[in-house]
Structures are given as C-alpha cells and as structure tokens.
Amino acid sequence: MGMAENISIPVNVGVVLDLGSDLDGKIALSCIEMALSDFYATHGDYRTRLVLNTRDSMKDVVGAAAAALDLIKNVEVQAIIGPTTSMQANFVIELGEKAQVPIISFSASSPSLTSIRSPFFFRATQNDSTQVNAISALVQAFGWREAVPIYIDNEYGQGVIPYLTDALQAVDARVLYRSVISPSATDDQIVAELYKLMTMQTRVFIVHMFPSLGARVFAKAKEIGMMSGGYVWIMTDGLTDEFLSSPNASITNTMQGALGVRPYVPRTKDLETFRIRWKRKFQQENPDFVDAGLNILGLWAYDAATALALAVEKAGTGNLGFQKSNVSSNSSTDLSTLGLSLNGPNLVQALSNITFKGLTGNYLFDNGQLQSSAFQIMNVNGNGGRTIGFWTQTEGIVKTLNSKNHMTANSGSNSDLSTVIWPGDTTSVPKGWEIPTNGKKLRIGVPIKDGFSEFVKVTRDPSSNKTTVTGYSIDVFDSVVKALPYALPYEFIPFAKPDGDPAGTYNDLIYQVYLKNYDAVVGDTTIVYNRSQYVDFTLPYTESGVSMIVPIVDNNSKNAWVFLRPLTWDLWVTSFCFFIFIGFVIWVLEHRINEDFRGPASHQAGTSFWFSFSTMVFAQRERVFSNWSRAVVIIWCFVVLILTQSYTASLASLLTVQQLQPTVTDVHELIKKGEYVGYQEGSFVPGILLDLGFDKSKLIVYNSTEQCHDLLSKGSVNGGIAAAFDEVPYMRLFLSKYCSKYAMIDPTFKTDGFGFVFPKGSSLVPDISRAILNVTQGDHMKQIEDAWFGKKGSCPDSSSSVSSNILSLKSFWGLFLIAGLAAFLALIIFFVMFVSRERRELRHSDPTASTWDRTKQFFRVFIQRDSSTSLNSRQKELTDRNGISLPTIGVPGPSACSIHAQFPEDPSSTDYDSSPDRQTPQEVEINIDQLANQNQERPTALEIDHENN
C-alpha cells in the first residue's frame, strides 16, 4: 500500500517550438526541462508529473498547426506550451479553443491575439501594447515631434503599430510614414528603404522586428551612415533583450548609441543561481553555441512550465481523458474528428487562480494575460548595454525604481534618465529631424505685387536674368533663419508667370504649398482660418488686425463756436446755476449789514449777480463783512480758479494740438450714407466689408499707397473713397508717408497678422515660431522696421489726434459738492441766528393773523437793516477808505449811528422804523468836507450833531 501511494500519475503536455537552428527555441526548451526538474525536486509529494511531448514547428505556421493537431488528437495532451511566434499562435489558439486544451505561449506578444478572446489562451509574456507606452514616454521626454516605425511585414510587426501610433499621438508625436520590411527582404531592398528614410526629415526610428532581420537592418544602416550624429534608434523589447542578453560584438557595433526597452526582471539570488546552472547545462547539451546567454524568453518559459505543473496538480487527475467525436474518421478531416479534453475547463480555472514567486517576479494571470511589469530603458554602448532608467505604469520615467519623485505616467523628462551616448558618440540630444541630406534647398515661394513693395519686392536684372528678392518680410525671415540652432538652406522663387506678372492671388500662392510645389511661402501672408485648413502658419511677426484710414480736417478753425467746446453742456449749465446760487447766498448773508447789497430790488439783484460772476476773473469791488460770507467766497473762488484754469488749458489744446479731426469715426455711418470705401487688391478684406453690410458696388480696389492717397483725396463724391480698409501693417506704412493728412480709426477687426507658411505638420513650424519670438523681442527687429518704414518718431501717432479733451461734469462734481454744502451750511446757520435774534420782531401782533400775514411780517423784518451792526460796519468802511478812525465815546450802545458823508441816502431807510415798538435811533452826521480840508493836520474835534428823527 505504501508503494502504491508513491506512484506518480503522468500527465501529457505538448511543447511546440522552433527547434531547428533557432537559438531561442533551444534556450526555451532547456529552461522548461529545468523548470520541471526543479519543481518536482521540491514538490516530491505531488501525485502528478508532467510529461513533455516536444514538436518542432520548423519556423512555419502550418508546421506549428500540424504539430498542435498531432499533440491534441494523437497524444491527447492536457495543455500546450508554445508556439514561438504570434503568427503560429494564431491558429494554434483556435485549435485549443475547439478541443478545450489550454495554450500557454511565453513568446507570442502581438496585441492582435487578444482579439481572439479565447479562455483557453494564456499569454505568459508581456503584451506588446504595454511597451508602446514606455516608448512614447521616451519620445516625449526628449521632445521629439515625429517618429517613423520600421517593422516587419507580418502578424508580429503589424499587430503593434496601431497601439504605437495611438501612444505617440497621445504625447503629440506624429507618425508621418511607416517603413515596412518583408521578412524575406534582400539586402538591396533594405538599403533602398533606408535611403528613402534618409531623404525624409524625421530622424527618430522605432524598430520592431525579429532579431535576425533587425541585425541586418542595423548593419545596413551603419553601412550607409545612418548610425551617425543626429539619428535616433529605439528598439522594442524583442530586439533589446535578444541583442543585449547575449551580446555579439559584430551586431552591437552596428547599433552603438541606440536605445531599447525590455521588461525589467529584478536580480535575485535565485535568478543568479539558476543562470549559472543553466549556462553549464546548456553548454553541455549544445556545445556549438558557446556564447549563448539566458534571455527573458527563457525565464518566461521556466515560469510558464512551473505554473502549468502547479495548475495540473491543483486540477486533479479525475478527468484526464478526451471525449471522442461521433464523426467517422474515414469520412471527415482531422479537424472534425478532434475530441474534447474533459480536464480542460478545470485546468483553465486552476491556471487563472495560480500565483507564486517566479524567476521574473510575482507570477499571476489577469484575464489570461501575465501581469505587466516595469520596463528597463537601455542604451547600447560598447559590447553590450547599460541601464539609463526605468518606466512604470504609475510613475512614468524614473532614473531608479526606488525614486521618490512620483509622477504621472508618461510625464518624465530626459533629466530623469542617466546620460545617453547617442549615435555618433555624442551626448547632445538629437533634434529628431533635420533637412534631408540629398542637397536640396527649401523652395520658398514669394508673391509678386505692384504696390506696397516695402514688404516684398522682386526685381529682375535684364542682363543677367537674375532675380533679387528684398523687403521687410524677407529681412525678417533671413533674421529668423539665422537665429535657428542649425543651418537651413533655402532659395526664393517668385510666384510669377513667364512674363513676370503675378501667377495668382495670395490664396493661389499658399495653395501651392499644399500641392507641394513649394516648401514654404514667405511674404506679407495673413493668417486666416480658411488657409490654416490646408497649411500651417508660424507665429505672426507683425501687428494684427484690419483697421480704417480716413482723412482728417481742421474743424475748429472754421467753427465760430469753438470756445464752447472745452466744456460739456451739463458743465456749462451747472456752472451757470452755481454762479446764480452763490450770488443769492452772498446777498442773503450780507444785505442786512452791508450797504453795497442794499437799495432798490433791481440794485440788490444786480449787485449780487455782479459780485458772483466777477469772481470768475477775481474783479469783485464789493466787500463782505460776514465771516460766513467770507468762508463761502473763499471756497467759491477756489472752485472758480480750478474751473477757469481747466477751461483755458482745454481751449488751448483744442486750438493747437487737437485741431485735426477725422471726417468719419463710425463704420456704420459710411454704410448708412452709402459712401465708397477702398481695399487693397488681392486682399481678403472685401469679405469683411461685405459681412459688415457694405454694398459690393461701393467697394473700390487700389494696389499702392499712392493710389490709395489719390482716392482718399478725391473723396466719395468725386469718384474717390471716404475711407480705406486694410491690415494694420499696411496702414502703418501708409501713415508713415501721409501722417499729416489721415488718421487710423478704431475699431480694429481681429486678424492674426502676417506669418510664414509651411506644409501641414512641418517640423519647421515650432522652430521658426520660437525664432520669431527671439527676433521680435530684440533690437534687431526695430532696425528692420526703421529701415523699411522709417523711424516711428518721424510721424506722430494718429490715434492721439482723434481723442477728446473735453471737460465734463464728472471731473468737477466734487468741487461743486463742496461749494454747495458750504453755502447751504452758511444759510442754515444764518437763518437760525436770525430767527433767534429777531424772534420778538417776527412775532405778529395779532395772534389770529393768517399764514400769509405772518410770512409778510417775516420778509419785512428780513429785508431791514441790522440795527446792531450797521454803525460798526459803516465805521469800519470809512476807516478803510479814508484812513480816519471815528471816535465812539459817548455814543450809546443800543443806538444805531448813521454817518452821512455825502453818500446817497438809503431809500429804504424810511421804512426802517415801521415797528411801533422799536425806539427811534440816533444818527450821527459828520461833515466830511471839513475833514477833507484838514487833511494836513490831525483834527482835534469832530462836530457831531444829534438829531432826533
């Protein structure tokens, strides 16, 4: 019984590999055999034992299918390891699906196999679609914008291209050309394809093919000079691992400086021990392959065999047989007589759940696909390669896997890699493209035009028939090319007919770039949307926009009412109202104590208004005695000072600097009046004018600055135009010649200025654009502008001549507010004091009097002279006018003194004593003539007669 329990159960499994002269097949088979030997040495208690049934596919799809069919039908294997290539695996997977036999391939990496979606297919290798992200991250890190894949023309090569193209586009790199090489291509065919690549601008090549063909491609590239400076070669994992796992000096010498990616396998003690044991075993069994090295395929084969041994033990041995087909073998093909593996579904379930620590790391299947690992970025140098960095799905490019610089995928830069030694033994990062080395110059088309030759001028020497191209746009392009970090040969070709006339419009010229008749267009070409649909523009090198030019005239010199223009109507009205208001306030505050503001009503009104308006020139004669009046007058004089000075400055500006005004300031005014307007011949401006609402019959074309000047001088009525519409650079040129007669009027219609034209997707566009920024921000651009358009200081900016310096109420409302508040405050205080002091006089004698009677009583008291201050104010006035102090000794305090000095008597004084309760004041009469006759000596006494009224 004990011996029976130790009896193992053999389980047949198939192995389909290319075992002829192919080294990879022999390496993989030896690793599979070692895997089973190692596995059962450590798992002696397992009941099952895998029995390998090996078949040679002979590097043929049919051979692989025949081998798989034989293993399934005749041997009734439980699973198949292999086959080697993706093309062979394609049909073998279908056979496994039909017979429910699991197929485990450690080398079929084409993404196209995923589309079969067979649950019986297990890919024990990395899907090629995962490494394309590492390659695109590498392209992005060095800033390359274009790449050309060079791939083998079979299932293995074609399957990865869609994924590679999408990954490159995700990092803004384009695939403009795909180089396909047949597996059976001759050396001459390979060289012809490489020469074709040399004639293109792109210098970044991504190589994806079998190692045997890849070695030939690199050898020929080295031979014709494509492994020199400026070239970039990137190998996919198949080539990288093959060439660097067991480096061959004759092969690595042809690819010095190339980059490559391969799955990263951590170096462990178990791996190094196995590598030594495998090396000894393989050399004993294959003495012809002395320098063979263990590659990643051998490690995946080792782990795949281990996984299958685990799964078979887990699935059990209850159903190891096949269910035979009911179809007679005599009347049907081998395919129709395939049976079904009864253990197949169980084995699939076991493989899907298997997990262990293999030589390549943590080993498990995710939906039939081996879990993705990090990729190692290699640089071929000497007789081998060195690691310059890593790429992971989560961190992108990093220098070391334990880097603390966590980044999002595909976001690394070349600073996250070790120094790369590129082809040509240089550390300078290649640009990724350059002008083809076939000696051709860029054919640059330039426009032919009659006017505005300052931008582009083409002249032909009749004697030598040599064409010379000059102009502002040409000088800018020459300066931009000189600013490039590399040489760019080019030649200018006029877009002209044999007789020298223009061959078409600007749109026709630009379309020649799309037709590949020109490599570029340089000139005053405007960046507009419809053109950008079939060509690419650089950044603009001029100002942008379309503006309007109109004549300017001196309107003020012919206007009799120009003196009213400095102030707006609301400021005029407000100023006038405040003059009247201030005069009224001064009269209220002064009329009871100041004789200058007393007398007949007309005299009082005239004096008040005269006093107020005379402050405008500070010529007021009347004196004010009230402190509140003085406060109001001080503030008002300050307001008047600012107002008059501002008016003077504005009027002077209008009569001198601002005398030239545009004839038209509004585009819609031109449309409404039906005026004629002009545009430059060949321009896109007519489309803008028609969209604005201009009638097509009102549009007149001109082709030079002189013709535009003649049309504007005539005017719309006399067969000319009222305004000209053109792009800002042309308008600036026009104004530099006629700045004293015309003005540029807003609004400016948006355009993107002048730019240089290149084919769609040209790699020159970003470099030229950056060089334009470099040139336009320097002093050299100003020198070019001054050379062709004259110095800007020689012609004043026309925009200033159409601005307005008219003063409005918004500029002075603060001053008026202060003056108004001061006047209202003085009035309020005056009336409060007046009512408080005269409350007895204001009280009506009849308590039953009406409101009207009480109002008349208030105004009778209000207009009377103030008896308490009249003497003091008159005495002060005489003292100031004659220099004589009047004695006041003996003058009773409550009496009012009237000094008669040949002044006209106050007509209103007769009504002063209208109140029956008021005492009769005493008047003091002074003989002024007597005082005047004694002006040489000091008077000793004054004769004062007291009279009772």
Side-chain angles (χ1 to χ4, degrees):
M1 293 292 293
M3 293 182 61
E5 290 178 356
N6 293 330
I7 296 175
S8 60
I9 301 175
V11 178
N12 287 321
V13 295
V15 177
V16 179
L17 297 173
D18 296 332
L19 299 176
S21 59
D22 187 73
L23 179 62
D24 289 339
K26 295 181 181 297
I27 293 175
L29 181 59
S30 66
C31 288
I32 293 173
E33 292 172 347
M34 289 186 68
L36 296 181
S37 175
D38 294 343
F39 180 79
Y40 291 120
T42 57
H43 297 82
D45 57 334
Y46 276 27
R47 297 182 59 193
T48 58
R49 293 292 186 271
L50 298 187
V51 178
L52 298 180
N53 297 269
T54 305
R55 298 290 187 273
D56 184 6
S57 60
M58 298 175 291
K59 295 184 178 182
D60 184 67
V61 175
V62 176
L69 187 61
D70 175 53
L71 291 171
I72 294 172
K73 183 177 180 180
N74 299 324
V75 183
E76 294 185 349
V77 294
Q78 299 296 309
I80 294 178
I81 300 177
T84 304
T85 67
S86 298
M87 291 185 301
Q88 295 172 359
N90 204 334
F91 186 64
V92 172
I93 294 171
E94 298 289 353
L95 288 177
E97 172 82 13
K98 184 175 180 61
Q100 296 188 1
V101 174
I103 308 297
I104 307 171
S105 177
F106 55 85
S107 57
S109 57
S110 175
S112 62
L113 298 179
T114 307
S115 62
I116 299 177
R117 291 181 174 84
S118 171
F120 293 89
F121 172 55
F122 290 84
R123 194 201 306 264
T125 183
Q126 296 292 330
N127 191 331
D128 283 338
S129 62
T130 59
Q131 68 170 323
V132 297
N133 293 323
I135 295 173
S136 65
L138 201 58
V139 171
Q140 183 188 36
F142 290 101
W144 299 317
R145 314 304 297 175
E146 295 177 359
V148 172
I150 306 175
Y151 60 95
I152 189 170
D153 190 13
N154 58 20
E155 183 74 22
Y156 173 73
Q158 295 171 356
V160 76
I161 293 304
Y163 298 90
L164 178 62
T165 303
D166 292 343
L168 292 174
Q169 288 179 348
V171 296
D172 294 330
R174 294 182 297 173
V175 176
L176 299 181
Y177 178 75
R178 301 176 183 180
S179 178
V180 186
I181 298 180
S182 171
S184 58
T186 64
D187 287 349
D188 291 339
Q189 291 173 332
I190 293 175
V191 170
E193 183 64 24
L194 292 176
Y195 272 126
K196 186 177 181 180
L197 296 177
M198 289 182 67
T199 63
M200 300 178 182
Q201 292 184 353
T202 307
R203 289 294 180 265
V204 179
F205 306 118
I206 302 172
V207 186
H208 179 69
M209 55 187 59
F210 292 154
S212 56
L213 181 60
R216 296 171 57 202
V217 169
F218 277 108
K220 294 303 175 183
K222 172 77 172 178
E223 183 179 317
I224 65 177
M226 292 183 70
M227 297 302 299
S228 57
Y231 286 88
V232 178
W233 294 86
I234 303 175
M235 299 180 293
T236 57
D237 62 349
L239 293 177
T240 305
D241 186 70
E242 178 69 22
F243 292 147
L244 299 183
S245 294
S246 54
N248 187 324
S250 61
I251 297 178
T252 55
N253 285 339
T254 64
M255 57 180 66
Q256 293 295 301
L259 299 178
V261 296
R262 68 179 182 183
Y264 172 66
V265 178
R267 300 188 66 175
T268 62
K269 184 177 180 180
D270 291 342
L271 177 60
E272 295 303 318
T273 302
F274 173 76
R275 193 183 300 274
I276 295 173
R277 291 192 299 113
W278 175 87
K279 185 78 172 177
R280 186 183 308 115
K281 178 179 183 297
F282 189 81
Q283 287 183 354
Q284 291 176 355
E285 296 176 354
N286 302 278
D288 296 337
F289 298 97
V290 179
D291 296 327
L294 182 63
N295 56 24
I296 189 71
L297 294 181
L299 298 179
W300 277 329
Y302 184 97
D303 286 344
T306 302
L308 182 57
L310 281 169
V312 166
E313 178 68 21
K314 186 176 180 180
T317 59
N319 296 305
L320 296 180
F322 269 65
Q323 181 180 349
K324 299 296 183 179
S325 173
N326 294 327
V327 180
S328 173
S329 59
N330 296 329
S331 59
S332 303
T333 64
D334 288 342
L335 291 178
S336 62
T337 58
L338 280 178
L340 293 178
S341 174
L342 299 177
N343 196 40
N346 296 332
L347 192 54
V348 167
Q349 184 69 24
L351 281 169
S352 300
N353 298 325
I354 209 74
T355 177
F356 63 95
K357 184 74 172 180
L359 292 179
T360 58
N362 293 327
Y363 198 92
L364 65 127
F365 289 105
D366 182 9
N367 196 22
Q369 170 65 55
L370 191 64
Q371 187 183 31
S372 299
S373 63
F375 279 88
Q376 198 173 4
I377 303 175
M378 308 295 293
N379 181 208
V380 181
N381 295 128
N383 188 23
R386 61 189 183 91
T387 302
I388 60 174
F390 299 88
W391 179 89
T392 66
Q393 190 71 36
T394 56
E395 294 182 349
I397 291 179
V398 291
K399 189 171 295 186
T400 58
L401 282 182
N402 59 354
S403 173
K404 296 181 180 179
N405 182 22
H406 295 287
M407 297 170 294
T408 58
N410 300 333
S411 64
S413 64
N414 58 37
S415 61
D416 299 306
L417 295 169
S418 299
T419 302
V420 180
I421 301 177
W422 302 96
D425 197 22
T426 178
T427 58
S428 298
V429 179
K431 285 186 58 61
W433 73 274
E434 61 185 35
I435 297 303
T437 57
N438 54 8
K440 282 188 176 181
K441 296 181 179 180
L442 283 181
R443 292 169 48 86
I444 299 179
V446 294
I448 301 290
K449 55 194 308 180
D450 297 331
F452 296 94
S453 58
E454 289 82 358
F455 290 95
V456 178
K457 184 178 182 180
V458 179
T459 56
R460 186 185 299 272
D461 188 352
S463 58
S464 62
N465 201 28
K466 182 180 180 180
T467 301
T468 303
V469 183
T470 58
Y472 170 74
S473 300
I474 303 301
D475 285 355
V476 171
F477 184 76
D478 291 338
S479 301
V480 167
V481 171
K482 291 179 182 178
L484 293 174
Y486 49 86
L488 182 66
Y490 59 90
E491 59 180 344
F492 294 116
I493 302 175
F495 185 53
K497 299 177 182 178
D499 58 0
D501 293 335
T505 64
Y506 274 63
N507 286 336
D508 297 332
L509 171 59
I510 294 173
Y511 195 68
Q512 297 301 310
V513 176
Y514 175 76
L515 298 176
K516 298 183 179 180
N517 294 328
Y518 293 134
D519 298 318
V521 167
V522 171
D524 47 346
T525 49
T526 306
I527 304 172
V528 291
Y529 170 73
N530 63 330
R531 296 172 179 175
S532 66
Q533 291 181 313
Y534 51 89
V535 295
D536 276 351
F537 287 92
T538 64
L539 289 177
Y541 61 89
T542 63
E543 297 178 83
S544 60
V546 174
S547 192
M548 176 174 69
I549 290 290
V550 297
I552 52 178
V553 295
D554 186 2
N555 293 327
N556 293 334
S557 62
K558 302 176 183 179
N559 191 350
W561 302 98
V562 66
F563 67 90
L564 295 176
R565 292 194 60 196
L567 307 183
T568 58
W569 68 269
D570 55 347
L571 185 55
W572 278 114
V573 172
T574 303
S575 301
F576 180 77
C577 293
F578 258 82
F579 275 113
I580 296 176
F581 173 67
I582 295 298
F584 169 75
V585 171
I586 297 301
W587 173 79
V588 170
L589 298 176
E590 291 289 325
H591 80 283
R592 303 188 77 241
I593 62 174
N594 194 336
E595 293 296 333
D596 289 340
F597 291 89
R598 297 196 61 81
S602 60
H603 174 74
Q604 294 183 48
T607 301
S608 300
F609 293 150
W610 159 256
F611 177 85
S612 179
F613 281 97
S614 62
T615 57
M616 189 164 49
V617 292
F618 307 101
Q620 64 273 19
R621 291 178 60 254
E622 294 76 15
R623 300 174 61 84
V624 291
F625 297 129
S626 171
N627 287 334
W628 293 110
S629 300
R630 291 169 181 169
V632 172
V633 170
I634 288 173
I635 295 175
W636 177 243
C637 286
F638 179 72
V639 174
V640 169
L641 175 65
I642 295 178
L643 195 61
T644 54
Q645 293 298 319
S646 301
Y647 173 84
T648 303
S650 181
L651 181 61
S653 178
L654 286 173
L655 294 177
T656 54
V657 178
Q658 299 293 329
Q659 59 184 346
L660 298 177
Q661 297 296 323
T663 56
V664 180
T665 59
D666 188 8
V667 175
H668 299 287
E669 183 181 348
L670 294 171
I671 301 173
K672 183 178 180 181
K673 292 182 179 180
E675 301 279 7
Y676 287 91
V677 296
Y679 66 91
Q680 186 183 166
E681 184 179 7
S683 173
F684 64 92
V685 173
I688 296 178
L689 298 179
L690 294 176
D691 291 340
L692 287 173
F694 282 96
D695 189 89
K696 189 174 183 179
S697 61
K698 299 295 182 180
L699 305 183
I700 298 179
V701 65
Y702 59 85
N703 56 16
S704 66
T705 55
E706 293 76 14
Q707 187 178 1
C708 180
H709 169 60
D710 292 339
L711 292 173
L712 287 170
S713 301
K714 293 179 182 179
S716 181
V717 179
N718 300 318
I721 57 177
F725 290 84
D726 215 331
E727 295 176 81
V728 171
Y730 297 122
M731 295 290 94
R732 296 291 185 192
L733 174 62
F734 181 81
L735 289 177
S736 67
K737 297 182 179 180
Y738 306 102
C739 60
S740 61
K741 298 181 180 180
Y742 304 98
M744 187 184 302
I745 306 298
D746 289 337
T748 299
F749 305 100
K750 181 63 178 175
T751 60
D752 286 332
F754 295 161
F756 303 128
V757 180
F758 287 90
K760 203 76 172 175
S762 173
S763 299
L764 282 173
V765 172
D767 288 335
I768 294 291
S769 296
R770 279 188 287 268
I772 287 175
L773 292 177
N774 185 20
V775 172
T776 53
Q777 293 175 1
D779 295 334
H780 187 60
M781 192 69 172
K782 185 177 183 302
Q783 297 175 5
I784 298 176
E785 292 176 349
D786 293 343
W788 289 101
F789 306 137
K791 294 185 177 180
K792 292 183 178 180
S794 61
C795 182
D797 189 1
S798 61
S799 61
S800 63
S801 64
V802 298
S803 61
S804 174
N805 288 334
I806 297 177
L807 304 174
S808 66
L809 182 60
K810 293 181 180 179
S811 303
F812 298 96
W813 70 269
L815 290 174
F816 286 119
L817 178 63
I818 295 173
L821 290 176
F824 272 113
L825 180 62
L827 285 178
I828 292 172
I829 295 176
F830 169 79
F831 279 109
V832 170
M833 294 177 61
F834 169 72
V835 172
S836 177
R837 189 173 59 247
E838 304 291 342
R839 60 181 177 275
R840 190 179 62 174
E841 297 295 331
L842 294 174
R843 187 181 302 114
H844 200 278
S845 58
D846 184 5
T848 62
S850 63
T851 302
W852 174 247
D853 292 335
R854 294 180 184 275
T855 303
K856 289 192 294 181
Q857 175 68 13
F858 176 83
F859 279 104
R860 274 196 297 269
V861 177
F862 179 72
I863 64 176
Q864 290 176 358
R865 182 188 295 112
D866 189 346
S867 60
S868 63
T869 57
S870 60
L871 177 61
N872 292 337
S873 61
R874 292 300 297 164
Q875 184 179 4
K876 185 175 190 297
E877 180 182 1
L878 290 175
T879 300
D880 292 342
R881 292 182 179 179
N882 301 294
I884 300 175
S885 298
L886 300 179
T888 60
I889 302 174
V891 179
S895 63
C897 300
S898 178
I899 304 175
H900 299 276
Q902 296 185 5
F903 292 116
E905 206 174 51
D906 189 355
S908 63
S909 61
T910 56
D911 299 329
Y912 184 77
D913 301 320
S914 58
S915 175
D917 299 329
R918 189 176 183 86
Q919 297 180 359
T920 304
Q922 295 179 347
E923 294 184 355
V924 181
E925 182 175 358
I926 302 177
N927 193 335
I928 300 301
D929 292 337
Q930 182 180 358
L931 295 176
N933 293 333
Q934 299 176 3
N935 58 2
Q936 299 298 325
E937 58 184 18
R938 185 180 181 87
T940 58
L942 291 176
E943 181 181 357
I944 303 176
D945 297 332
H946 296 277
E947 299 180 359
N948 295 327
N949 290 337

